[in-house]
């Protein structure tokens, strides 16, 4: 039987979704695409079903305004937001210059992790 996801499993799946949205976001988004992404992230931060996580993420979004001008702007903003959670949880921070290799193009050095 499959159990409901705990905070870790939910978190991993959710980061996969969010970074993959960034990876597929246009390089030059039009006004509607930018507005849709802002709306989505605003609603996401209120509906994310780990309430402590959601509360902190809303505070982060108030402090660090979302950047949706381009794929790289959003991907980097999201990487930094993920790093803020990593830091809070005592996990290593990720090198945000590499977010696109991790989530879109694959590693330049050919590794598979
Ligand atoms: C919005 C949000 C808020 C959360 N808040 C909390 C919280 O308050 N408390 C709590 O206990 N858990 C929280 N979580 C869950 C937590 O972030 C992790 O998902 C969970 O602990 C599992 O961690 P993990 O080590 O498997 O890797 P994850 O942090 O889930 O990362 C998955 C993969 O993403 C890659 N990665 C790591 N950092 C980055 C980065 N900065 N940019 C791009 N890619 C990266 C790595 O390859 C990693 O293996 C939150 C999750 C989300 C989506």
């Amino acid at each position: 039987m499959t159990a409901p996801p705990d905070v870790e499993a939910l978190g991993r799946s959710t980061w996969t979704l969010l970074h993959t949205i960034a990876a597929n976001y246009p390089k030059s988004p039009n006004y509607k695409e930018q507005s849709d992404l802002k709306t989505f992230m605003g609603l996401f931060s209120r509906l994310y079903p780990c309430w402590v996580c959601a509360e902190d993420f809303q505070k982060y979004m108030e402090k660090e305004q979302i950047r949706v001008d381009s794929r790289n702007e959003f991907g980097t903003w999201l990487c930094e937001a993920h790093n803020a959670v990593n830091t809070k949880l005592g996990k290593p921070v990720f090198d945000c210059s590499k977010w696109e290799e991790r989530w879109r193009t694959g590693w330049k050095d050919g590794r598979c992790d």
Side-chain angles (χ1 to χ4, degrees), residues 11-12 15 19 53 79 82-83 85-86 88 91 102-103:
R12 270 191 294 277
W15 287 123
H19 290 296
C53 311
C79 180
H82 192 163
N83 271 341
V85 180
N86 288 342
K88 181 174 78 168
K91 292 178 197 267
R102 168 66 178 88
W103 294 103

Side-chain angles (χ1 to χ4, degrees), residues 83-102:
N83 271 341
V85 180
N86 288 342
T87 301
K88 181 174 78 168
L89 299 179
K91 292 178 197 267
V93 294
F94 186 91
D95 176 356
C96 286
S97 69
K98 300 227 163 33
W99 81 267
E100 215 169 341
E101 278 184 58
R102 168 66 178 88

Side-chain angles (χ1 to χ4, degrees), residues 3-110:
D6 59 15
V7 172
E8 278 76 31
L10 178 67
R12 270 191 294 277
S13 306
T14 303
W15 287 123
T16 299
L17 172 67
L18 293 176
H19 290 296
T20 305
I21 287 175
N24 287 278
Y25 188 61
K27 281 185 175 171
S28 301
N30 61 32
Y31 176 80
K32 177 82 166 60
E33 287 162 335
Q34 295 184 40
S35 155
D36 282 352
L37 184 56
K38 271 193 203 164
T39 303
F40 171 78
M41 290 302 295
L43 290 172
F44 163 81
S45 74
R46 302 219 301 274
L47 294 170
Y48 188 58
C50 155
W51 310 123
V52 194
C53 311
E55 213 171 283
D56 282 359
F57 198 66
Q58 282 168 48
K59 285 190 198 138
Y60 183 86
M61 288 189 70
E62 276 165 29
K63 203 162 44 90
E64 300 294 336
Q65 220 179 355
I66 187 167
R67 302 196 299 269
V68 296
D69 287 356
S70 68
R71 177 188 298 159
N72 196 49
E73 278 289 306
F74 179 60
T76 303
W77 179 88
L78 186 64
C79 180
E80 289 165 1
H82 192 163
N83 271 341
V85 180
N86 288 342
T87 301
K88 181 174 78 168
L89 299 179
K91 292 178 197 267
V93 294
F94 186 91
D95 176 356
C96 286
S97 69
K98 300 227 163 33
W99 81 267
E100 215 169 341
E101 278 184 58
R102 168 66 178 88
W103 294 103
R104 201 176 79 83
T105 60
W107 297 109
K108 284 190 182 135
D109 63 9

